Amino acid sequence: MAQSTEVEGEQMGAKFEFDERALNRLVEGKLKEMSREFERLVERLTRQLRGRPVNEIKPVLKREWKRVADGDLKDPQLTTIATAISEGTKVDFNVEM
């Protein structure tokens, strides 16, 4: 992406270059951090809600996901994760680039 700025009648150019590998490392690190945070959330909810009906877990999971991820968790993922919580099954959030 190139950007030009005019200063005192002269044209000055600014060129921005991105180190793609550095950017990928940064993104991958953030994705791993988020995965760990999601796993901690699900582990906590599993300790609290294991054995409860999936329909009871779904609104709690949806609310907590919104708080942690600032996003909306929709079906079928919502049901899949709520079922795992109810059954006490570990959920892995492995994200690969």
Side-chain angles (χ1 to χ4, degrees):
M1 171 190 244
Q3 176 182 355
S4 295
T5 306
E6 191 169 320
V7 178
E8 296 182 33
E10 294 181 22
Q11 185 99 22
M12 296 183 64
K15 184 177 180 182
F16 299 97
E17 293 184 21
F18 294 98
D19 180 344
E20 189 172 324
R21 280 195 263 170
L23 181 60
N24 285 341
R25 284 192 304 271
L26 179 66
V27 170
E28 187 174 1
K30 185 61 176 173
L31 289 173
K32 285 181 182 181
E33 179 184 323
M34 290 173 65
S35 294
R36 286 189 299 270
E37 194 168 344
F38 297 154
E39 286 175 1
R40 284 192 299 271
L41 168 65
V42 172
E43 287 169 1
R44 180 175 56 81
L45 292 178
T46 299
R47 285 191 303 275
Q48 295 173 352
L49 303 171
R50 183 178 186 170
R52 306 295 282 257
V54 171
N55 287 336
E56 186 179 314
I57 295 170
K58 285 169 74 171
V60 175
L61 174 59
K62 191 170 186 152
R63 181 186 68 238
E64 290 299 302
W65 191 273
K66 173 87 172 154
R67 184 183 61 77
V68 169
D70 196 28
D72 196 19
L73 186 60
K74 296 183 179 172
D75 276 318
Q77 291 84 9
L78 179 63
T79 299
T80 300
I81 298 170
T83 301
I85 290 170
S86 178
E87 295 172 351
T89 305
K90 183 171 175 29
V91 178
D92 289 317
F93 292 92
N94 293 328
V95 180
E96 295 183 18
M97 289 185 52

